[in-house]
Amino acid sequence: MTARIIDPTAEAAGFRAELRAEVAMLPEPLVLAGFLTADEGPSHTYAEYTRRGCDDVGVRFDLRRVQRLDAEAAVRAANEDPGVHGIFIFYPVFGTGQDRYLRDLVVPEKDVEGLNSFWIRCLYENRRFLDEARTKKAILPCTPLAILKLLDAAGVMSQPAPRPLGGKRVCIFNRSEVVGRPLASMMSNDGAEVTSFDVDGPQLFLPDAEAGAHRVEETRVGRAEALATADIIITGVPSREFPLVSASEVKEGAVCLNFSTLKNFHEDIVDKASAFIPRVGPMTVTMALRNTLRLYRNSRR
Amino acid sequence: MTARIIDPTAEAAGFRAELRAEVAMLPEPLVLAGFLTADEGPSHTYAEYTRRGCDDVGVRFDLRRVQRLDAEAAVRAANEDPGVHGIFIFYPVFGTGQDRYLRDLVVPEKDVEGLNSFWIRCLYENRRFLDEARTKKAILPCTPLAILKLLDAAGVMSQPAPRPLGGKRVCIFNRSEVVGRPLASMMSNDGAEVTSFDVDGPQLFLPDAEAGAHRVEETRVGRAEALATADIIITGVPSREFPLVSASEVKEGAVCLNFSTLKNFHEDIVDKASAFIPRVGPMTVTMALRNTLRLYRNSRR
């Protein structure tokens, strides 16, 4: 089998066309303020992607270059500014726990990345709407959401709602608070059985119809077993010491996705996977823009 | 000079006597729920300290042993339980970013550790009261608060209010979101010039009367210069690779405090320091108990 390579830019095009049409009909320009502290590196590249995405769908992108120690004041000012509809911080700013402080500083009403504790709690508690009338949808973190959209493009979300991943086994290498853990929760909410690996050991995320969401258990499953049985393999390991996932470890026809900026799969993966998604970036930006529109609409309801 | 060794247990005694008297006059028992997931190690020791502190001042300590994956549900239940006045989580639970999720899960009204984003933001924004009438005092994180109380016992907070640390130079090795950064902010709010070292480089926290608080700047000051000029040296480095601070590096008469569970000072420090505070634990527990009482009172106003 030779894997279909899925290009996130191409897959995002449909979502962008839809967004472009909706943004054009708004009574005012949608303004996204971006905060960038680095002169180069991944956050810089990501800001450039975001600019292109904004241009593409007609969102006004106001990228502000700030010193890292000025980021806090700048974000607080943007929180208060009625002319700013969404806030996008390009991490890392400090590269320490202080970045988490910044994430929580953004008011949920402008948090297009969906990384604020408020939204993350909505996700874990499976609260999908903010109001009783179910008119204001909760925001989902944009990278996990982008990953789900790309997996959908690969054809794996084939079971009937509300469990489109029913019966699927998933293996995720990363359990960060910003991607891996919310992603594992979302996928098990959608019916998958997810083995999640991180430095503090493996965990099993299982669908739980009774709880209306999922439950998490400790497990002793190792890498070899999890990889050999997984229908979907997702990597996001920011370390060159991570042993690349190779064709010999995975099941014929597995769908493989990497969201790390580093390579996490061996090149031979395309000989055995049915689909390979080498990056997520452009879809993440698209989902952040979708969140911007959603937050704007929530604020007007 | 031979340093006076300051024992946090002895210094906490006065605060505890005061607390004991106030707790005894409350109309109901004050209940602190503790959550412990480890069978041994620092969190276990800390829970034991807390039990002793509670017994000492007459707070009812309800220590609950839970599996780490059950901690979230247990904390959420305690948040809702009117019979629980304060919540104390003994970290590490996961030892990853997920611990920060747990910290924010505790409702601010029961967060006796003062580690919730809500309280940390009050601190950075220098909001000392929750209400206009200034009857409900904001909670301060208990370890930085304990450190200030011990430094006060060492006699360094000698300048007039509101700048008891006016003119003092401070050097802190640790800029974590739970101790080092709030501590640097509190000390510069109190008038000190603080050089803060962490993996992402040194920063300078300076008193800023205009801002009514402090400001933070990047600096190129190195360890040698900062140590040689510091009146107060505080260490909290959880690594055996940290080169111990030795007498030859510090100013005659400096006040030295270590809050790491590891040794961060060379034994010869006592030959040159005027005071040495080798640990903080019992005072931290005392401040958490003080926060418990404060939160209880805030809830009744």
Side-chain angles (χ1 to χ4, degrees), chain A residues 68 98 101 124 181 218, chain B residues 68 98 101 124 181 218:
Chain A
R68 60 181 193 167
Q98 198 166 342
Y101 181 78
Y124 291 138
R181 193 160 80 99
E218 305 285 354
Chain B
R68 62 180 192 167
Q98 197 165 344
Y101 181 79
Y124 291 137
R181 193 159 80 98
E218 305 286 352

Side-chain angles (χ1 to χ4, degrees), chain B residues 84-97:
Chain B
V84 169
H85 302 114
I87 294 173
F88 205 134
I89 303 177
F90 296 96
Y91 299 101
V93 173
F94 293 95
T96 66

